[in-house]
Amino acid sequence: QLVESGGGVVQPGGSLRLSCTASGFTLDHYPIGWFRQAPGKGREGVSCLGVSDGISYYADSVKGRFTISRDSVKNTMYLQMNNLKFEDTAVYYCASDVYPADCRVRPGAPWGQGTPVTVSS
């Protein structure tokens, strides 16, 4: 099970950190990823991270602004989002067991419940 937190309403240029805590399995054993779905659009890969291969992926729209990470002790993954823009408004989902190079979810991989992020002035 994956449980997310950290979403909310923020002004343009602001920051948020999303968290996703795993229970029942060890997150370190899996490549992880963050995805988002904006209103009226499909779900897209935002950022993914391999296990120990150094592979990371960032969508062009978030490069230089978002950072994915994991904490082995807390069994938690994070998405640090800086300099947020209106177009970052979406529901954000975490997933474990992804293809990190192109940030796709493997069939049957567990998802979080989603946390909404709204960028508004």
Side-chain angles (χ1 to χ4, degrees), residues 66-84:
F66 289 13
T67 304
I68 189 172
S69 63
R70 63 169 96 220
D71 185 321
S72 301
V73 173
K74 296 182 178 180
N75 208 28
T76 298
M77 57 192 285
Y78 302 98
L79 184 69
Q80 177 67 43
M81 305 186 295
N82 298 328
N83 190 22
L84 283 159

Side-chain angles (χ1 to χ4, degrees), residues 1-90:
Q1 183 182 10
L2 295 170
V3 178
E4 302 169 10
S5 61
V9 180
V10 63
Q11 292 185 336
S15 298
L16 283 174
R17 189 178 77 158
L18 305 182
S19 301
C20 174
T21 300
S23 59
F25 67 98
T26 302
L27 204 55
D28 266 2
H29 294 172
Y30 298 92
I32 56 175
W34 287 94
F35 302 79
R36 68 186 180 186
Q37 186 165 16
K41 296 186 177 182
R43 194 172 295 187
E44 65 168 339
V46 175
S47 181
C48 287
L49 183 65
V51 176
S52 58
D53 48 18
I55 294 175
S56 65
Y57 169 98
Y58 291 93
D60 288 342
S61 58
V62 308
K63 282 180 181 176
R65 301 188 296 121
F66 289 13
T67 304
I68 189 172
S69 63
R70 63 169 96 220
D71 185 321
S72 301
V73 173
K74 296 182 178 180
N75 208 28
T76 298
M77 57 192 285
Y78 302 98
L79 184 69
Q80 177 67 43
M81 305 186 295
N82 298 328
N83 190 22
L84 283 159
K85 303 178 179 181
F86 292 119
E87 52 265 38
D88 294 319
T89 294

